[in-house]
Amino acid sequence: MQHSKFHPFVLIFMIVSCSIYAQKFDGLAPTPPMGWNSWNNFHCEVDEDLIKETADAIVTSGMKDAGYQYVVIDDCWHGERDSLGFIQADPKRFPSGIKALAEYVHSKGLKFGIYSDAGWKTCGGRPGSRGYEFQDALKYAEWGVDYLKYDWCNTEGLKAEGAYLTMRNALYKAGRPIVFSLCEWGDNQPWEWAKDIGHLWRTTGDIAPIFDGIVDHGTWFSLGVMQILDKQEGLREFAGPDHWNDPDMMEVGNGMSVGEDRAHFSMWAMLAAPLMAGNDVRNMSKETMAILTNKEVIAVNQDPLGIQGLKYSSNDSLEIWFKPLEKNDWAVCFLNRAISEKTVEFNWRKNIVTDDLSERKFDATLFEYQIRDLWTREIIGNTEKTTSLKIPAHEVKIFRLINTRSTNN
Ligand code: GLA
């Protein structure tokens, strides 16, 4: 038997210290990450021109000013591993290499993200990171990657928590702070174990560019915005600064009606969801741009308290959601899931919302709030009076309730 050149105690010390000192990079996502990802619109059709043009458009469209930061290439950027096992980009699609691309994105004042998979292959059949985690993390650090989305295809026999922990440790060892986005589709309840592993975790299977329904792809299904929303039930207690529930990247601008896109965006704001645009931002309509850059809705999403919204009521396809915000403000969203318009008379003083999780209470008999409509961008009244609303089919009304004064003062 060959003897190790290290004394057993030294070996044990090395192993223990390696695992003790590896951790998640803290503080990289104090509010939900915002950016763009190639998958929802481009799927495997990615190349360096697309990524550069997208970075340019994020700046010129005002998205950067509105808070979008990460430009993430999803699946299919990969080429072969080299003779030492290091991953390389597809030389046809990325002839200048990933390092140069990351530099380009950084030169625009943005951050750069990439995609891999915990299994042998990615979902698109490219090389996965299984067995190469530490080498891949080194490459990403060398390339200047700021964000890693880590998928869960071809992982038969692997335990999710262990697989994601290995990559977290590899990233930490490589030394470059990288936001770690777990994409395990909620199969193994990552909200229960991923807080110290990643900064966000997918809670569901893939989103589809439809408002309400399920798309059958033969061997798998993708979910409409409403189906994804329903799967967030019971998860809000697990989210907060630096550890977010991720109901998947947005489909705004990918084929739904403008009202549906507004509802989708508003609900992602209420959920404190990561806001990853998934459309072609180089060629978007004025309406899509206006939705994605609505700073007042984004402020609901990016509120520093980081409290995911709660569903206060659900009646006959009308849902009312509340989200506690800083300075004792609240966001409230009326979501009409029906296919016809709804009329609502809402008496604020009679609807007292107690949120045990945040220990906040909305009580319009104690405080008066101004009501600001975040799409029309105007104050429509205050909470002293009943508000009458007409909400078109598949649309929302989202308000910021601005705490003005205590009625007892
Ligand atoms: C999975 C993920 C998607 C996308 C594709 C890429 O389906 O959930 O978001 O990354 O893989 O192949």
Side-chain angles (χ1 to χ4, degrees):
M1 201 177 99
Q2 223 191 356
H3 288 286
S4 155
K5 59 181 175 171
F6 295 113
H7 187 279
F9 286 133
V10 175
L11 262 183
I12 290 169
F13 174 76
M14 283 165 67
I15 293 166
V16 169
S17 59
C18 236
S19 42
I20 288 180
Y21 294 121
Q23 59 180 68
K24 155 179 154 182
F25 284 105
D26 282 329
L28 298 184
T31 56
M34 293 176 66
W36 173 90
N37 174 299
S38 54
W39 184 256
N40 283 356
N41 191 59
F42 297 96
H43 305 282
C44 265
E45 297 309 310
V46 286
D47 60 32
E48 62 185 43
D49 290 342
L50 168 69
I51 303 303
K52 284 180 169 176
E53 288 163 19
T54 298
D56 295 347
I58 288 175
V59 175
T60 54
S61 62
M63 285 178 71
K64 180 182 171 221
D65 281 347
Y68 295 84
Q69 244 191 329
Y70 296 96
V71 180
V72 182
I73 321 178
D74 207 277
D75 207 348
C76 305
W77 59 267
H78 322 66
E80 301 290 316
R81 292 189 178 279
D82 69 12
S83 58
L84 296 175
F86 286 104
I87 190 68
Q88 309 174 100
D90 180 330
K92 286 208 191 77
R93 294 164 182 251
F94 297 90
S96 316
I98 302 290
K99 195 173 165 55
L101 189 55
E103 274 166 16
Y104 184 86
V105 172
H106 290 152
S107 76
K108 297 272 148 183
L110 298 168
K111 293 189 171 171
F112 178 73
I114 212 162
Y115 160 102
S116 189
D117 187 290
W120 318 101
K121 284 185 170 184
T122 69
C123 299
R126 306 305 195 273
S129 288
R130 178 66 181 153
Y132 295 90
E133 293 88 347
F134 283 77
Q135 271 184 289
D136 285 356
L138 275 177
K139 259 295 154 212
Y140 304 153
E142 183 192 318
W143 285 341
V145 168
D146 306 298
Y147 184 110
L148 173 67
K149 173 175 167 185
Y150 204 50
D151 215 341
W152 190 237
C153 277
N154 307 301
T155 51
E156 291 70 23
L158 295 187
K159 286 228 164 62
E161 185 173 352
Y164 282 95
L165 199 57
T166 303
M167 189 43 117
R168 178 205 74 173
N169 293 351
L171 293 172
Y172 195 75
K173 188 102 199 302
R176 182 180 171 87
I178 291 182
V179 171
F180 192 29
S181 155
L182 281 65
C183 177
E184 164 282 357
W185 316 314
D187 286 2
N188 300 277
Q189 294 77 45
W191 44 87
E192 286 174 358
W193 47 261
K195 184 176 177 206
D196 295 325
I197 296 181
H199 304 90
L200 59 159
W201 50 79
R202 280 273 296 276
T203 54
T204 69
D206 287 6
I207 194 168
I210 58 171
F211 194 72
D212 197 359
I214 292 178
V215 181
D216 184 350
H217 300 269
T219 51
W220 61 287
F221 297 93
S222 54
L223 305 170
V225 171
M226 290 301 101
Q227 284 61 37
I228 298 247
L229 181 64
D230 290 341
K231 285 183 178 279
Q232 308 313 308
E233 193 87 49
L235 301 186
R236 67 185 289 260
E237 68 184 90
F238 299 101
D242 232 20
H243 55 281
W244 306 101
N245 288 316
D246 174 7
D248 207 356
M249 304 166 300
M250 294 186 286
E251 295 282 12
V252 172
N254 283 345
M256 287 185 281
S257 71
V258 173
E260 289 172 335
D261 275 352
R262 261 197 299 266
H264 171 27
F265 192 71
S266 304
M267 287 314 302
W268 262 227
M270 294 300 288
L271 290 173
L275 293 183
M276 301 300 284
N279 59 313
D280 184 351
V281 296
R282 301 166 309 172
N283 300 302
M284 59 183 158
S285 66
K286 276 204 189 84
E287 289 83 359
T288 298
M289 197 193 291
I291 292 171
L292 289 174
T293 58
N294 182 322
K295 290 187 183 171
E296 296 192 35
V297 178
I298 291 173
V300 169
N301 174 270
Q302 294 288 303
D303 184 84
L305 298 181
I307 302 166
Q308 187 170 324
L310 63 108
K311 184 158 48 173
Y312 167 63
S313 68
S314 173
N315 274 312
D316 190 23
S317 297
L318 179 79
E319 292 181 4
I320 306 176
W321 290 69
F322 278 77
K323 183 181 195 287
L325 303 177
E326 66 172 343
K327 298 183 188 145
N328 288 318
D329 287 359
W330 288 81
V332 57
C333 189
F334 295 79
L335 166 67
N336 179 6
R337 301 175 60 139
I339 52 170
S340 54
E341 182 184 87
K342 280 197 185 292
T343 310
V344 181
E345 297 287 318
F346 197 74
N347 184 330
W348 304 96
R349 295 172 67 92
K350 286 201 174 143
N351 285 277
I352 292 169
V353 181
T354 308
D355 178 19
D356 292 337
L357 181 68
S358 66
E359 297 179 349
R360 286 274 301 272
K361 196 171 181 180
F362 170 76
D363 185 344
T365 67
L366 297 178
F367 293 97
E368 184 187 308
Y369 300 80
Q370 283 188 325
I371 305 169
R372 182 161 174 90
D373 184 321
L374 301 187
W375 288 113
T376 63
R377 308 241 188 149
E378 58 191 2
I379 303 281
I380 60 154
N382 64 38
T383 51
E384 295 300 291
K385 292 193 212 99
T386 294
T387 300
S388 305
L389 300 169
K390 278 192 195 316
I391 312 167
H394 289 187
E395 255 273 35
V396 287
K397 285 278 176 195
I398 183 170
F399 304 118
R400 188 176 188 113
L401 305 177
I402 303 165
N403 187 308
T404 48
R405 64 180 169 83
S406 163
T407 50
N408 292 334
N409 288 340

